[in-house]
Amino acid sequence: MAITSAQTYNGTSFIATPASTLTRGSLTVGVTATQELFTTADIGYAISARLTTASTTATLDVQTGVCTGSAAFVAGVAQVETATVVAATGATSNGNCIVTVTGSTLTGSPLAVTIPLTTASNTATLVASALAAGLNANAAIAAKYSAASSGAIILLTVKADANGNFLANDGTLNIAIPGGLGITAAATSTDTTAGVASSGVQVLDGDGKDFEGLTLPSMARIYALEINVTSGSASASNGTQVFTLPCKIWNTSGITGSMLTSDLVITAASAGTNLTITALGKSS
């Protein structure tokens, strides 16, 4: 691939507004953002990494753009709990069905959710659909699970966390359906799909190749290296220098030495750390 318009921006400023009475206006203080061009850059790469647990690492060979994780990535599996509605003719009277959901991550567990039913739900399938909708309408349930129905079966799927990581199987998860209104009580549900926790390190586009699949030439100098942390927290070290992330390093003349030649090890300080790495450099 050929590179053009290689650039970064720098400058820190803020707007100051007087707090005293009888004063007006505002002014900008600091350095206005300026564009820095790297007209001779001929190498660039962008990598994203997902470090699911604290202390896992992503190691970047800055010169080649090859990035590897300290542990194989396991995507994980969402846990699915199912409960079957038994109601030969659906709801036989109008009223409330109080479904109780128990789960280790559920706020208020065991949580009793009151769901109104009418005789319009005159089949077990319609009752299951109404109960699933009622569960989804509860804020505490919706924060952790997604409810759906298939025929007379209620499916409660555990959501991934805010960083997209699935959780380990919750053996306490349960949906209890009470008897009444023409419904047969079902105190326990079934762990239909066991949850598998996401683990390891996922690295995307860290194979040292460009988008055309060609191996990147090795950098002889680096113009800019920017590491952004989109969630979680992390630090980086090349054995000589330690960097608090996020950070951006740039120099229009190019950087050599350990910053270029030593592997950069990025270590997650918290679970669910997601980050991006962008680099620009020159091959000679």
Side-chain angles (χ1 to χ4, degrees):
M1 71 178 180
I3 287 181
T4 58
S5 302
Q7 59 189 288
T8 191
Y9 289 85
N10 76 92
T12 303
S13 64
F14 60 92
I15 295 176
T17 303
S20 303
T21 59
L22 301 178
T23 58
R24 295 181 179 86
S26 61
L27 55 92
T28 300
V29 180
V31 178
T32 302
T34 57
Q35 182 185 46
E36 300 292 342
L37 297 175
F38 308 108
T39 56
T40 60
D42 61 1
I43 304 171
Y45 57 80
I47 299 167
S48 61
R50 175 180 170 190
L51 290 75
T52 59
T53 55
S55 300
T56 50
T57 63
T59 299
L60 172 68
D61 183 323
V62 178
Q63 286 184 288
T64 65
V66 173
C67 186
T68 55
S70 59
F73 177 65
V74 176
V77 176
Q79 181 177 351
V80 181
E81 192 79 8
T82 60
T84 301
V85 174
V86 178
T89 57
T92 56
S93 59
N94 299 333
N96 291 325
C97 180
I98 302 176
V99 178
T100 301
V101 178
T102 303
S104 63
T105 64
L106 175 62
T107 300
S109 176
L111 183 64
V113 182
T114 300
I115 303 170
L117 289 177
T118 70
T119 54
S121 297
N122 56 11
T123 66
T125 294
L126 291 174
V127 170
S129 176
L131 295 182
L135 291 174
N136 279 329
N138 181 276
I141 296 290
K144 299 296 181 181
Y145 312 103
S146 176
S149 64
S150 176
I153 298 173
I154 299 170
L155 302 94
L156 196 66
T157 302
V158 179
K159 291 183 176 180
D161 66 18
N163 301 308
N165 296 322
F166 291 111
L167 307 179
N169 196 67
D170 178 6
T172 69
L173 186 57
N174 188 68
I175 310 164
I177 301 172
L181 306 179
I183 302 170
T184 301
T188 58
S189 53
T190 302
D191 188 355
T192 301
T193 303
V196 176
S198 302
S199 62
V201 179
Q202 182 183 33
V203 177
L204 299 177
D205 301 317
D207 58 0
K209 296 181 180 180
D210 66 16
F211 66 89
E212 295 178 292
L214 301 176
T215 299
L216 294 168
S218 181
M219 286 187 185
R221 65 186 65 237
I222 187 166
Y223 288 132
L225 177 66
E226 182 171 353
I227 305 175
N228 286 309
V229 178
T230 55
S231 65
S233 57
S235 62
S237 174
N238 59 11
T240 303
Q241 299 145 303
V242 177
F243 306 94
T244 300
L245 303 181
C247 75
K248 179 166 70 173
I249 302 162
W250 63 272
N251 188 297
T252 53
S253 298
I255 302 168
T256 57
S258 61
M259 188 67 243
L260 175 70
T261 60
S262 298
D263 284 349
L264 189 65
V265 180
I266 302 169
T267 304
S270 62
T273 294
N274 293 306
L275 55 90
T276 61
I277 305 166
T278 307
L280 286 169
K282 185 169 174 55
S283 59
S284 60

